[in-house]
Amino acid sequence: MRVIAWVRLLTSVFVASLLCLHSRLTAQEAKLIKIHEGKHWVWFARSDQFESYRQDIERFYDYADKAFEYLCEAWGLKLPREKYVLFVWPKTGGGFATGDIAEVRAVTGKESPGIGVSYDAFFNVVHGIKGYWAYVLITHEMVNLFTGQIVSGGWPVDWWANHRSPFPLVTAVQIEYALVPEVAIHHAKQITADPLCRMFQKLKDQYGWHLFRKAFQMAREDGINWERIGTNPSKLRTNYVCAYLQMAAPEDLTPYFNGFVPNFDPEMVASIIKARERWRSLPEGDSKRKELQALFLSGNYEACLKLNEPVQTH
């Protein structure tokens, strides 16, 4: 009996090892392939996962294009490219946005900005909705992609996106209410639980997308790259972002930011705005303007103010 038991045990271990080896070999042999090219997204997936979940993935092609068009129209801004990559990520439980998806670049041989959405998001059922997380992740990560492409990456991780992601969440819910309200109803519940989400919702309700559109436009025209302004998170970067939102607003935004945005400093915001006015008041092509602009864009707004102070005569 003992011999039989040992044989059964060894057989089970051997079979389990073979299954594990087969799984690893399958993953290694599976190729990343282009599965669809739509109006705004070029889709890539691992061949084995696409064959397994083809119908679940394909039904999101149209949704992703419509979400893209909705946000372009809402913000009234044009992105640098007509099409971006949507990568069916072989991992489970998440998504991302980036200026270059390494796995896709390895296939295309060129820079591949876009978003990644975990493959299981397309078929898992949440709130009775199949693919609930695919709807949520496509819109959420698309917002992050848009802000990165229109201005730059590096938005404050403690109150804008990443560690805390209130802005993409609020924006995503707006898109979902227009396209898939049955998803938005559930996703919107996250807004009521987060004070920062409620802050962004109030800004959107009061000023519409115009506030964000104008702030993004001004930052892009100035040549802003958040990665060059302080660390992330930092008081400096936070107040630069607040300064651009303030410049886009018709009234003081201090009541919205105060007590909600970490390290918000209205005096620093006022100084950043003043520094921007200083270098922009100089003529185009003026070497002094370029010098002050470079200081400002590196986060050195204080030096920008000092260098342009009028000379005192006696």
Side-chain angles (χ1 to χ4, degrees):
M1 293 296 291
R2 289 181 180 178
V3 173
I4 294 173
W6 272 106
V7 169
R8 286 176 177 171
L9 177 61
L10 289 172
T11 301
S12 298
V13 170
F14 179 68
V15 171
S17 298
L18 283 177
L19 289 172
C20 184
L21 177 62
H22 174 73
S23 178
R24 287 202 300 268
L25 288 173
T26 300
Q28 290 170 0
E29 292 170 0
K31 293 181 180 179
L32 190 68
I33 59 171
K34 176 180 168 181
I35 60 172
H36 176 70
E37 183 165 350
K39 191 172 180 181
H40 301 292
W41 300 99
V42 182
W43 291 65
F44 287 83
R46 215 172 69 184
S47 58
D48 60 327
Q49 291 178 342
F50 179 58
E51 287 306 314
S52 297
Y53 308 109
R54 182 171 191 146
Q55 289 185 334
D56 296 318
I57 294 169
E58 287 180 336
R59 66 194 186 91
F60 282 90
Y61 293 162
D62 186 54
Y63 173 75
D65 280 337
K66 286 181 178 177
F68 189 103
E69 290 172 351
Y70 181 92
L71 192 54
C72 283
E73 185 176 350
W75 285 2
L77 296 171
K78 186 175 176 61
L79 273 72
R81 296 169 180 249
E82 290 293 329
K83 294 184 180 183
Y84 289 87
V85 169
L86 204 158
F87 178 37
V88 180
W89 199 21
K91 297 185 179 181
T92 60
F96 64 86
T98 180
D100 192 13
I101 300 175
E103 296 93 332
V104 177
R105 177 195 269 269
V107 175
T108 63
K110 58 185 179 182
E111 187 177 66
S112 302
I115 65 174
V117 176
S118 291
Y119 77 96
D120 62 331
F122 293 92
F123 58 83
N124 282 338
V125 178
V126 179
H127 303 302
I129 301 169
K130 190 173 187 180
Y132 171 85
W133 280 111
Y135 289 113
V136 168
L137 289 169
I138 286 172
T139 47
H140 184 105
E141 298 302 345
M142 184 182 68
V143 175
N144 286 332
L145 177 69
F146 271 48
T147 52
Q149 290 288 300
I150 291 169
V151 182
S152 81
W155 292 81
V157 296
D158 55 343
W159 66 276
W160 186 281
N162 204 338
H163 300 171
R164 298 282 298 278
S165 296
F167 180 75
L169 195 160
V170 168
T171 309
V173 168
Q174 294 283 325
I175 298 168
E176 291 155 12
Y177 266 122
L179 303 178
V180 279
E182 66 276 17
V183 171
I185 289 169
H186 297 287
H187 198 194
K189 293 175 183 177
Q190 294 182 38
I191 294 176
T192 58
D194 188 330
L196 279 168
C197 284
R198 294 199 299 271
M199 179 200 77
F200 277 111
Q201 187 67 63
K202 287 177 182 177
L203 286 170
K204 163 63 174 61
D205 290 344
Q206 182 65 24
Y207 306 108
W209 290 122
H210 176 78
L211 173 74
F212 301 99
R213 180 189 310 129
K214 188 174 179 182
F216 296 158
Q217 284 175 324
M218 294 169 74
R220 180 167 63 181
E221 289 169 5
D222 288 349
I224 282 286
N225 182 339
W226 302 127
E227 299 284 8
R228 298 176 188 154
I229 300 172
T231 55
N232 195 8
S234 66
K235 182 176 181 178
L236 181 64
R237 192 176 299 188
T238 279
N239 285 288
Y240 257 79
V241 173
C242 288
Y244 275 90
L245 290 170
Q246 180 58 71
M247 288 185 286
E251 57 189 356
D252 185 14
L253 296 183
T254 297
Y256 292 91
F257 297 147
N258 207 27
F260 297 100
V261 175
N263 291 312
F264 169 65
D265 183 341
E267 291 185 4
M268 182 182 284
V269 167
S271 294
I272 291 167
I273 293 172
K274 188 175 181 181
R276 180 181 182 271
E277 291 170 351
R278 287 276 179 90
W279 68 261
R280 286 184 64 89
S281 68
L282 297 172
E284 290 276 0
D286 189 316
S287 60
K288 189 73 170 178
R289 176 185 170 117
K290 292 180 180 178
E291 180 185 1
L292 295 178
Q293 183 181 12
L295 287 169
F296 180 82
L297 294 179
S298 66
N300 204 346
Y301 70 94
E302 292 174 305
C304 181
L305 287 170
K306 289 177 181 177
L307 280 176
N308 205 34
E309 285 178 350
V311 177
Q312 296 292 326
T313 58
H314 300 282

